[in-house]
Amino acid sequence: MSLRHSILGLLSIKPMSGYELKRVIDESVGHFWTADQSQIYRTLAGLVDEGLASRRTVVQDQRPNLHLHSTTEEGLAELDRWLASPLKTTVAREPFLARLFFASRMPVEGVQKLLDTRRQEVSAQLAALKAISISAADADGSDEIAEATPVARTLRLATLANGIAHARTELDWLDATEQQLKGIAP
């Protein structure tokens, strides 16, 4: 997946500014695809240069001008090509697992601290995903999920459920790993 396709997908839902795209990414697809503000603006500029997106300026009183981006017909065609293309298998890189693999060099307390830190990170991620789930369920009509077609809503909520399931599974795995270590630690 590329950021450009994520942005085209989000812009296919509705026109957005770079600032709004960052917020929407963080609140919707951020658990499986992230980007910082500068990446978003660079990607938007490239999409406009390639004719895959357009940009219009909305003059605002008392605030800076708003630059709204929309997909073009060519951008929608590119998004459709990407959606239909074969998925390339990616090699996973898990920094935490790499550390854990070599953590036997540390005292047991250090390994426990490593596991505790990871548990805090995953717990925070799970809480954030649950908050998205709650806001999606309580949507008042202004939310992108609430405005989606039934198929789009189902698929967007399915990606959220996947993130929640992964976080819960990792927490269960951390529990099991700690129990195993307790059984062998001196």
Side-chain angles (χ1 to χ4, degrees), residues 164-181:
I164 290 170
H166 277 270
R168 286 181 175 153
T169 299
E170 186 165 354
L171 289 171
D172 291 344
W173 171 79
L174 286 164
D175 288 342
T177 302
E178 285 180 335
Q179 288 304 312
Q180 290 171 347
L181 284 174

Side-chain angles (χ1 to χ4, degrees), residues 42-59:
R42 277 193 311 272
T43 303
L44 280 170
L47 291 171
V48 170
D49 290 345
E50 293 174 51
L52 301 176
S54 62
R55 175 181 141 164
R56 72 179 172 92
T57 301
V58 177
V59 178

Side-chain angles (χ1 to χ4, degrees), residues 96-159:
F96 171 73
L97 291 179
R99 283 186 181 192
L100 191 61
F101 188 86
F102 297 110
S104 62
R105 297 184 44 78
M106 301 169 68
V108 173
E109 298 81 26
V111 175
Q112 185 61 51
K113 183 177 179 186
L114 185 68
L115 293 169
D116 289 344
T117 300
R118 183 62 180 176
R119 179 181 311 288
Q120 291 171 2
E121 292 168 354
V122 175
S123 294
Q125 179 187 21
L126 180 58
L129 291 170
K130 285 180 176 180
I132 292 170
S133 181
I134 291 167
S135 68
D138 294 339
D140 61 4
S142 62
D143 181 73
E144 286 81 16
I145 291 177
E147 294 174 359
T149 65
V151 170
R153 180 177 169 80
T154 298
L155 296 176
R156 291 175 190 154
L157 291 174
T159 63

Side-chain angles (χ1 to χ4, degrees), residues 37-77:
Q37 198 72 53
S38 62
Q39 289 174 303
I40 292 169
Y41 283 115
R42 277 193 311 272
T43 303
L44 280 170
L47 291 171
V48 170
D49 290 345
E50 293 174 51
L52 301 176
S54 62
R55 175 181 141 164
R56 72 179 172 92
T57 301
V58 177
V59 178
Q60 302 184 105
D61 294 331
Q62 313 277 327
R63 298 173 73 184
N65 291 342
L66 181 66
H67 304 289
L68 284 180
H69 296 81
S70 304
T71 53
T72 61
E73 289 302 316
E74 294 84 5
L76 292 173

